[in-house]
Amino acid sequence: MAAGAGHPSERLGGSGMGIEMLKRTAPYVAVLAVTIVLFMLAGQISYVGKAGQIGPDLWPKAVLVLAMAASVYQIVCIVLQCWREQAAFRASVATPEKPYTIRLLLGMGITLAYVALLPVIGFIFCTLLYLAAFMYIGRYRRHRVVIATSVIGTLMFLLIFMRFVYVSLPMGSAPFSTWSYALLALLGAR
Amino acid sequence: MDILANLGQGFLGCLQPVNMAMLFIGIVVGLIVGVLPGLTLVMGVILALPFTYSMDVTPAIVLLTAMYVSGTYGGAPTAILFKIPGEPIHVPLLWDGYAMARNGQPALALGWTLIAVLVGGLLSATIMVALSEPVAKLALTFSTPEYFAIVLFGLTSVVSLGRGSLPNAIISLCLGLLIATVGVDSIYGSTRYTFGLPLLLDGIEFLTVMVGAYGLGEVFIRLHEGFVSAPIQQIGEMRTRLPSWRELSRLKGVLLRNSVLGNIIGVVPGAGATIASFVAYGFEGQYNKRKKELGTGIPDGIVAPQAAATASVGGALIPLFTLGIPGSGATAVILGAFLLHGIQPGPQVFLTSTEMIYTVIASLFLGIVAMCLVGFFAIRPLVKILDFPEAVVSAFIMLLCFIGALSIRNNIGDLWLMVAFGVIGYLFERYRFPIAPLVLGTILGPLAESSFTTTMISFHSDWTVFFTRPVSGVVMVLTLVAIIVPIVTHIRANNKLK
């Protein structure tokens, strides 16, 4: 039999199967861990109430118990399924990884950077850079379109929200704020 | 008679230029949102929300409602012509719609879709008019046990009606309910899960969760896929042909039963147009005379899911207007718009804001007719929207998400929360946890908890009160059915696998 063509458990071996099982149970283990921590924190909620009366901790505790039960059920099911029938791994083995993980991480990274830089360099410059960067990360390569849509889009949104919808967009701190306000005055939005 | 007089007033209100303008804009934007594969109906309504801040409440709600209605049709042409469902709603539609187009009748397939939208939409709007005020009057007699029972029913329905793993749906719902507990408790004034952060003292806005989980989460998923869209085929005939009266009369039963079914599904809190569309197709698969031909391109398979999807809109608006409980993701955003304008939907709103409510209801009638006209005449430009590069569209979706989250409280902290929920939304999608229960849990959580706690305090911790009062008793029995049926189905399915 050619390599990789046999039963999934044969292909993976014991440790491979263990890793696969860990991968599949990981989200539920994470949920279980978080709910346990939150359950302990719920016990520390302080309140003043009559004896025998339910407190503000009861509702979150009930919800957490339900989440824990669902997580434990899923973990047990996955483990039992893996022991009972190793073919259960077939689907997860056959599922290819999505191909653009680096782009996703870059996208998340610039999104975090946008939020971090927004109060510093202001909406105009931050948005301009973000839009262009996001389009490039999204594999769009028509440079003129990227630049034009970023500039026009930023100014259009600025005008709509500052002038007509009255949402106060951050202008940043000096010297960016000076430039932002100058641009706003130029656009007649101030 | 009062209802008809109020509706007449509503039509007059709707004909005011600003309301008509918002209606038209809502329809066009809703259609565009429906066409674009990366943009869902709920996301579209969320992204439109910041634009409504400076408006009066009536045009704001008219705009969002029009978007909601037309979003249920927008993705239909692309599903039929190119097998690209702009929305999950249109997945059942393409099974027969695309097949009919491949059989050489794309124009007729589009015509059937428009008929389904027209009949389903108008019928559901009529049912809504007939039921809203009586339900609101009944709701005025409700106390906290009834409210808790109804909310609990909504929460269990969203878990049981959703497709996929039941435990995953429960975990998602619990997370939503927990998010709703963050901040200062409304009954005891205790702080919960604030971790010493002043931002969390006011709690987490459900709109922040929605914008993050639906908006950012979806864009992250598409980015991970590299914004790869299906290639678009060249279509020679791109027009709509309406069916003849004879063809229409043969399908009147399918149209009517699925419109009513869609309306009923819409009323159930948490079950929206997508569930209505799938259930309607499944229903026809069980009971239609031509059930064996379903999937081969028969009009029954087009009419059923589309009529049910559009009819669910009117149904979903009934619990929103009469009880203040959203029936779907989009109505949750509309609830947010009401709250942002200082209006709490519920039975009182029919007494205090009669004109506004009936103007919105009238806009639903006008919107459905106008949407059919736009859909009939603008099919070619509508389909052209698919040519927009997804990376550019997604960049602007992200920008609208930022502005949307920022404008809720004008706090940068909300942006951090939104990004966190965006990542959670992505992880949910990746690990097959449904997002709808998370969002519904966040929205309905405070109402569920406060009505439960108040009942327990008022009735000295006697939990049987939920079962001994007539209305809450009936709803609690329905809730138990909604809990038990999926569990039994889940266990049976597992046993079959073994």
Side-chain angles (χ1 to χ4, degrees):
Chain A
M1 189 183 282
H7 194 274
S9 60
E10 290 168 34
R11 287 204 306 268
L12 287 163
S15 63
M17 193 178 76
I19 290 166
E20 201 55 41
M21 199 195 313
L22 275 178
K23 266 189 188 173
R24 288 181 60 191
T25 52
Y28 305 103
V29 173
V31 170
L32 190 61
V34 170
T35 48
I36 289 169
V37 172
L38 291 176
F39 191 89
M40 289 194 294
L41 287 174
Q44 295 169 15
I45 296 169
S46 57
Y47 68 101
V48 182
K50 286 181 187 171
Q53 193 172 294
I54 64 162
D57 57 333
L58 182 92
W59 181 259
K61 277 181 178 171
V63 171
L64 285 164
V65 167
L66 188 59
M68 281 181 212
S71 307
V72 170
Y73 174 81
Q74 280 294 76
I75 292 167
V76 171
C77 277
I78 291 168
V79 172
L80 286 179
Q81 199 182 3
C82 294
W83 278 347
R84 200 180 294 131
E85 195 184 351
Q86 291 172 345
F89 283 105
R90 205 166 284 153
S92 56
V93 171
T95 307
E97 275 294 298
K98 286 187 175 172
Y100 296 101
T101 307
I102 292 170
R103 287 185 191 279
L104 171 74
L105 293 175
L106 280 172
M108 285 179 173
I110 63 160
T111 303
L112 288 172
Y114 180 85
V115 180
L117 291 175
L118 195 61
V120 184
I121 66 172
F123 177 82
I124 300 171
F125 302 106
C126 212
T127 302
L128 196 69
L129 293 173
Y130 180 80
L131 287 176
F134 196 90
M135 287 178 217
Y136 279 118
I137 291 170
R139 302 190 304 143
Y140 192 69
R141 290 290 179 272
R142 293 171 75 174
H143 306 299
R144 283 181 192 170
V145 179
V146 169
I147 293 165
T149 47
S150 304
V151 172
I152 295 168
T154 304
L155 296 180
M156 197 180 72
F157 275 90
L158 183 75
L159 212 57
I160 291 172
F161 284 96
M162 292 292 277
R163 179 128 192 208
F164 301 111
V165 187
Y166 304 116
V167 172
S168 176
L169 299 169
M171 289 295 115
S173 48
F176 298 102
S177 57
T178 318
W179 301 337
S180 297
Y181 284 120
L183 197 61
L184 271 181
L186 206 67
L187 290 169
R190 197 181 174 217
Chain B
M1 285 308 283
D2 272 357
I3 294 175
L4 287 178
N6 287 334
L7 187 63
Q9 284 289 328
F11 274 107
L12 287 177
C14 196
L15 290 173
Q16 284 179 11
V18 64
N19 292 336
M20 282 304 282
M22 286 306 125
L23 184 67
F24 184 73
I25 292 169
I27 287 164
V28 172
V29 177
L31 288 172
I32 293 170
V33 162
V35 170
L36 289 168
L39 200 53
T40 64
L41 165 63
V42 182
M43 263 170 80
V45 183
I46 291 170
L47 298 181
L49 191 62
F51 292 97
T52 66
Y53 289 159
S54 62
M55 294 180 198
D56 283 339
V57 64
T58 310
I61 305 298
V62 166
L63 173 80
L64 299 179
T65 313
M67 281 186 69
Y68 182 21
V69 176
S70 62
T72 64
Y73 170 72
T78 54
I80 288 169
L81 298 174
F82 308 115
K83 210 181 177 183
I84 301 171
E87 290 279 335
I89 302 166
H90 297 116
V91 173
L93 182 72
L94 68 81
W95 293 328
D96 275 274
Y98 184 67
M100 188 184 260
R102 294 282 298 225
N103 294 343
Q105 293 181 302
L108 186 60
L110 291 169
W112 277 117
T113 317
L114 273 187
I115 292 292
V117 167
L118 191 69
V119 175
L122 291 181
L123 196 68
S124 86
T126 310
I127 293 172
M128 186 183 158
V129 172
L131 289 185
S132 289
E133 218 165 304
V135 172
K137 279 181 183 157
L138 177 71
L140 281 171
T141 64
F142 287 179
S143 187
T144 51
E146 283 78 24
Y147 267 98
F148 176 71
I150 290 166
V151 173
L152 189 66
F153 177 61
L155 294 174
T156 48
S157 306
V158 74
V159 169
S160 59
L161 287 175
R163 287 163 291 128
S165 159
L166 180 67
N168 284 9
I170 293 172
I171 291 169
S172 174
L173 175 68
C174 289
L175 189 61
L177 291 171
L178 276 174
I179 290 165
T181 65
V182 172
V184 178
D185 161 52
S186 62
I187 293 172
Y188 290 93
S190 316
T191 53
R192 297 183 296 191
Y193 302 126
T194 56
F195 304 103
L197 297 169
L199 174 76
L200 295 179
L201 278 175
D202 288 339
I204 297 173
E205 287 283 333
F206 75 80
L207 287 170
T208 310
V209 181
M210 283 190 91
V211 173
Y214 276 119
L216 258 64
E218 182 66 31
V219 173
F220 286 148
I221 285 285
R222 306 282 300 178
L223 179 61
H224 202 182
E225 290 163 353
F227 293 134
V228 181
S229 299
I232 298 168
Q233 304 157 19
Q234 291 299 315
I235 298 283
E237 188 189 33
M238 207 184 286
R239 62 184 184 88
T240 304
R241 181 170 79 77
L242 296 176
S244 66
W245 280 112
R246 223 177 112 201
E247 289 173 302
L248 208 57
S249 68
R250 195 187 65 73
L251 254 71
K252 61 180 184 290
V254 180
L255 270 167
L256 290 177
R257 68 170 168 257
N258 286 293
S259 300
V260 174
L261 182 67
N263 209 282
I264 294 168
I265 292 171
V267 172
V268 177
T274 305
I275 289 169
S277 167
F278 277 90
V279 170
Y281 196 89
F283 186 82
E284 291 305 313
Q286 296 267 326
Y287 302 107
N288 193 295
K289 282 178 191 165
R290 300 171 70 188
K291 61 185 176 192
K292 285 184 181 166
E293 293 172 60
L294 274 178
T296 61
I298 59 169
D300 309 51
I302 298 171
V303 163
Q306 185 62 61
T310 309
S312 72
V313 174
L317 288 170
I318 295 174
L320 175 70
F321 289 163
T322 59
L323 301 166
I325 296 170
S328 63
T331 46
V333 187
I334 297 172
L335 170 69
F338 270 116
L339 297 177
L340 287 166
H341 285 88
I343 292 176
Q344 172 67 56
Q348 289 289 345
V349 87
F350 278 84
L351 302 173
T352 56
S353 311
T354 315
E355 195 183 330
M356 182 268 292
I357 284 290
Y358 276 96
T359 302
V360 174
I361 292 173
S363 79
L364 203 60
F365 282 96
L366 294 179
I368 288 157
V369 176
M371 179 181 71
C372 288
L373 290 174
V374 174
F376 187 84
F377 290 108
I379 188 76
R380 197 172 279 274
L382 202 61
V383 167
K384 273 276 171 200
I385 291 163
L386 275 182
D387 289 342
F388 282 7
E390 206 178 332
V392 179
V393 174
S394 296
F396 282 97
I397 291 173
M398 296 295 271
L399 180 56
L400 274 171
C401 288
F402 288 130
I403 296 174
L406 190 67
S407 49
I408 297 167
R409 291 190 286 200
N410 211 6
N411 192 328
I412 294 283
D414 280 330
L415 289 187
W416 287 111
L417 284 174
M418 182 197 66
V419 175
F421 286 112
V423 175
I424 289 173
Y426 163 78
L427 291 172
F428 264 47
E429 196 77 35
R430 176 103 201 253
Y431 293 104
R432 297 176 196 280
F433 287 85
I435 293 174
L438 170 88
V439 173
L440 261 292
T442 316
I443 296 163
L444 297 180
L447 186 56
E449 187 189 358
S450 65
S451 52
F452 175 76
T453 310
T454 311
T455 306
M456 287 289 100
I457 293 170
S458 307
F459 293 88
H460 309 289
S461 301
D462 176 18
W463 58 268
T464 58
V465 70
F466 296 115
F467 294 91
T468 52
R469 292 167 70 102
V471 175
S472 63
V474 169
V475 181
M476 287 302 271
V477 169
L478 288 173
T479 306
L480 287 175
V481 171
I483 293 170
I484 292 164
V485 168
I487 290 174
V488 170
T489 316
H490 184 77
I491 292 168
R492 274 189 186 171
N494 274 0
N495 285 343
K496 268 186 186 175
L497 276 175
K498 285 171 197 171

